[in-house]
Amino acid sequence: MLDTDFFRRWMTATAAAVDREADRLTELDAAIGDADHGSNMRRGFTAVREALENEPPATPGAVLGLAGRQLISTVGGASGPLYGTLLRRTGKALGDAQEVSPAELAEAFGAGVAAVAQLGGAQAGDKTMLDALLPAVEVLADSFEEAHGAAVAGASATVPLQARKGRASYLGERSIGHQDPGATSAALLVGALVDAAAHGDGGGA
């Protein structure tokens, strides 16, 4: 079962991964966006980490709700509302449970991903964060490692795609040949589940 500490480690591991990869995210965004995805995500998840330290939530759902609110209030552009919606909706789906199973997390995360799709009006193949999140959700209940692999593969698969949503879509065919920065950061979020499970003391999958 996955307890509140697991979810705190998930968000903290995401913050560490985003901080580590911020320059790469910005480099990817420089090719087809505003060149600020790395700095925006770093600022947002730094705020998440600090909020979790200052106001430790009591349940897994509350951890994700707090994280989502921090991202909405600190991350500019479309990324803040999209990531905030993903985590808040996932947290809401978890309810007030003190512990959840990997299957329950997968179902809740699926609800969060669906909310992102609805908010952004995007679908698979549009060259967005959904191209990493959708394949990850399909196998999340089976294994965090498989979900991470699916997310990384999904992000890589955005390279030959033409963007149909967001600022990159303005480039038309010139968006082809570049990996989507949102899909890349989404893969970091999924990969942090593996770190959270590996560094726990009984709260992993």
Side-chain angles (χ1 to χ4, degrees):
M1 295 294 283
L2 310 173
D3 59 13
T4 302
D5 284 345
F6 171 86
F7 282 83
R8 290 182 62 186
R9 291 198 304 276
W10 180 22
M11 292 298 101
T12 301
T14 302
V18 166
D19 186 58
R20 187 170 60 245
E21 298 291 334
D23 289 346
R24 178 171 174 248
L25 294 175
T26 291
E27 182 179 337
L28 292 172
D29 198 32
I32 56 175
D34 293 330
D36 59 3
H37 190 59
S39 57
N40 276 339
M41 293 296 288
R42 173 186 274 158
R43 180 171 60 252
F45 273 97
T46 296
V48 168
R49 184 172 55 201
E50 291 174 352
L52 291 174
E53 291 173 354
N54 295 331
E55 313 168 40
T59 65
V63 168
L64 299 185
L66 177 60
R69 292 194 297 275
Q70 289 297 315
L71 292 175
I72 289 172
S73 64
T74 59
V75 178
S79 296
L82 290 170
Y83 269 95
T85 294
L86 172 63
L87 296 180
R88 290 182 67 192
R89 190 61 62 89
T90 302
K92 183 178 180 181
L94 294 176
D96 296 327
Q98 295 293 320
E99 295 182 329
V100 300
S101 68
E104 289 170 329
L105 169 58
E107 183 176 353
F109 197 64
V113 173
V116 169
Q118 183 176 23
L119 178 63
Q123 57 188 356
D126 282 346
K127 201 179 182 90
T128 71
M129 61 194 292
L130 289 176
D131 290 310
L133 294 174
L134 289 170
V137 165
E138 290 185 6
V139 295
L140 186 57
D142 299 329
S143 161
F144 292 157
E145 287 82 1
E146 285 186 39
H148 182 215
V152 169
S156 298
T158 62
V159 173
L161 300 177
Q162 179 174 327
R164 294 196 290 258
K165 292 291 179 182
R167 186 174 179 81
S169 66
Y170 302 158
L171 297 177
E173 292 184 354
R174 286 184 292 147
S175 65
I176 296 173
H178 304 281
Q179 182 164 320
D180 182 67
T184 306
S185 59
L188 296 178
L189 175 71
V190 177
L193 283 167
V194 180
D195 293 336
H199 294 93
D201 49 2

